[in-house]
C-alpha cells in the first residue's frame, strides 16, 4: 500500500494508524528508513533545491538540469552522496562546487591526509572544493540562483543538499519503543523492547562487531543483510545479526 503513512503505533492493542484508519497486526516490522536533513535556513524550499535519497530524486534532479539548461551546480556536503552527485553532475557537463562546513571533505570517514588527497584529485578533475564553508542562505527570484556562505556568495543554477540524514521515526513518539538518538534499539534478532515488534534498516541501531558498542550503519549492505536475518527469524529460523565492521567504499 504505497502512499500510506503510519502516524501512530499502539502496541497494547497491536494496531497501527494508517491514513487515519486503525489496522491490526500480529507481527510488526518497522523498516521506515531515514530522511534527508534540510536545514532551517532561508531559501531551502525554492525550486532548484534538491536532496538525493531515492531514484526518483535523481530523476527529478536530472530533469531540472535539462529543462533549465543548468550550468553551475552547488553541492552542500562533501560526504559519500555529495561527492557521487558531484561526479555525476560533472559528467553532465556542469561546473560543480562542493562546500562543507567541516575542515575537510569526507569528515568522520577519512583522516585529513587521505581527505586532502581526494580533494586534490577532485580539483584536478575540475570540481571546486571549499571546506570550512557553511551554508547560510539560498537566494534567487522564484528559483535557486545563488547561495550565501561563510566564505561569500556563490552563483549557481541548482543546489543539492547532502548534509546527512536522520531516522524517520518521529511517529514512534509515545509508542514505548525504545530509541537512542531517534534510532530504534534492537537485539541481535532485530527485536525491539516490545514483543512482536521488530525493526531493521536505516531506522534501527546495530552494534559494531569489533567493539560491541551501538553504531548507526545507514548503509544498504547493513539493511540488506540484517533484513535477510530478520526474514529468517520471522519464518522460524533463529538467525542472529552479529553486527557491522563499518566499512565504506
Amino acid at each position: 500500500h504505497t502512499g500510506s503513512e503510519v502516524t501512530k503505533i499502539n502496541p497494547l492493542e497491536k494496531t497501527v494508524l494508517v491514513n487515519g484508519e486503525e489496522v491490526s497486526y500480529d507481527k510488526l516490522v518497522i523498516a521506515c528508513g531515514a530522511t534527508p536533513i534540510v536545514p532551517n535556513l532561508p531559501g531551502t524550499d525554492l525550486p532548484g533545491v534538491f536532496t538525493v535519497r531515492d531514484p526518483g530524486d535523481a530523476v527529478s534532479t536530472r530533469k531540472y538540469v535539462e529543462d533549465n539548461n543548468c550550468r553551475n551546480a552547488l553541492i552542500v556536503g562533501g560526504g559519500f552522496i555529495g561527492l557521487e552527485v558531484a561526479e555525476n553532475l560533472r559528467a553532465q557537463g556542469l561546473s560543480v562546487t562542493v562546500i562543507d562546513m567541516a575542515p575537510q571533505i569526507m569528515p568522520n570517514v577519512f583522516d585529513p591526509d587521505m581527505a586532502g588527497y581526494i580533494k586534490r584529485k577532485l580539483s584536478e578533475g575540475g570540481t571546486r572544493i571549499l571546506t570550512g564553508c557553511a551554508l547560510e542562505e539560498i537566494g534567487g527570484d522564484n528559483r535557486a540562483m545563488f547561495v550565501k556562505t561563510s566564505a561569500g556568495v556563490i552563483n549557481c543554477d541548482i543546489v543539492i543538499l547532502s548534509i546527512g540524514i536522520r531516522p524517520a521515526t518521529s511517529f514512534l513518539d509515545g509508542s514505548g519503543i525504545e530509541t537512542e538518538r531517534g534510532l530504534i534499539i534492537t537485539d541481535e534478532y532485530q527485536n525491539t523492547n516490545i514483543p512482536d515488534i521488530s525493526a531493521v534498516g536505516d531506522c534501527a541501531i546495530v552494534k559494531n562487531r569489533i567493539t560491541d558498542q551501538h553504531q548507526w550503519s545507514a548503509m544498504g549492505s547493513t539493511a540488506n543483510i540484517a533484513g535477510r536475518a530478520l526474514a529468517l527469524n520471522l519464518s522460524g529460523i533463529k538467525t542472529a545479526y552479529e553486527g557491522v565492521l563499518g566499512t565504506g567504499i
Side-chain angles (χ1 to χ4, degrees), residues 73-79 81-90 96-100 127-128 130 156 158-163:
L74 188 286
I75 297 175
V76 185
I81 301 300
L83 295 186
E84 289 183 15
V85 172
E87 180 184 12
N88 280 273
L89 290 174
R90 283 286 299 153
V96 177
T97 299
V98 178
I99 68 171
D100 200 303
T127 301
R128 183 186 182 198
L130 299 176
C156 57
I158 185 171
V159 177
I160 310 295
L161 298 176
S162 181
I163 59 177

Side-chain angles (χ1 to χ4, degrees), residues 24-248:
S24 63
Y25 67 84
D26 296 315
K27 299 279 188 181
L28 178 65
V29 176
I30 303 172
C32 52
T35 56
I37 295 172
V38 176
N40 186 23
L41 294 173
T44 54
D45 58 346
L46 283 171
V49 180
F50 293 87
T51 57
V52 179
R53 178 64 180 166
D54 58 44
D57 295 332
V59 171
S60 58
T61 300
R62 182 175 60 193
K63 186 175 187 304
Y64 186 88
V65 168
E66 294 171 349
D67 291 350
N68 294 275
N69 196 28
C70 295
R71 289 289 177 261
N72 298 290
L74 188 286
I75 297 175
V76 185
F80 281 109
I81 301 300
L83 295 186
E84 289 183 15
V85 172
E87 180 184 12
N88 280 273
L89 290 174
R90 283 286 299 153
Q92 294 279 325
L94 277 73
S95 296
V96 177
T97 299
V98 178
I99 68 171
D100 200 303
M101 67 185 301
Q104 65 172 69
I105 56 173
M106 303 299 285
N108 305 318
V109 179
F110 288 117
D111 293 333
D113 58 337
M114 294 303 296
Y117 175 83
I118 297 169
K119 180 179 178 179
R120 289 193 300 274
K121 286 298 180 182
L122 288 168
S123 298
E124 290 171 8
T127 301
R128 183 186 182 198
I129 307 290
L130 299 176
T131 53
C133 180
L135 177 68
E136 296 177 348
E137 180 182 341
I138 302 172
D141 298 328
N142 301 317
R143 63 183 180 88
M145 300 174 68
F146 64 88
V147 297
K148 290 182 180 179
T149 75
S150 57
V153 176
I154 303 172
N155 293 324
C156 57
D157 303 308
I158 185 171
V159 177
I160 310 295
L161 298 176
S162 181
I163 59 177
I165 57 175
R166 61 167 57 96
T169 56
S170 59
F171 70 99
L172 297 179
D173 291 348
S175 67
I177 296 173
E178 189 176 359
T179 61
E180 178 181 315
R181 293 177 289 120
L183 295 160
I184 302 168
I185 298 175
T186 66
D187 62 15
E188 65 268 36
Y189 302 103
Q190 285 75 57
N191 297 315
T192 69
N193 62 307
I194 295 179
D196 296 321
I197 299 181
S198 306
V200 69
D202 289 0
C203 63
I205 207 162
V206 293
K207 73 172 183 178
N208 185 289
R209 195 159 180 167
I210 297 172
T211 66
D212 261 354
Q213 300 300 307
H214 281 171
Q215 179 172 329
W216 190 22
S217 178
M219 304 288 283
S221 53
T222 301
N224 189 299
I225 298 169
R228 287 169 180 260
L230 175 57
L232 290 168
N233 286 319
L234 291 172
S235 62
I237 304 171
K238 197 170 185 180
T239 307
Y241 178 66
E242 298 182 3
V244 300
L245 296 179
T247 54

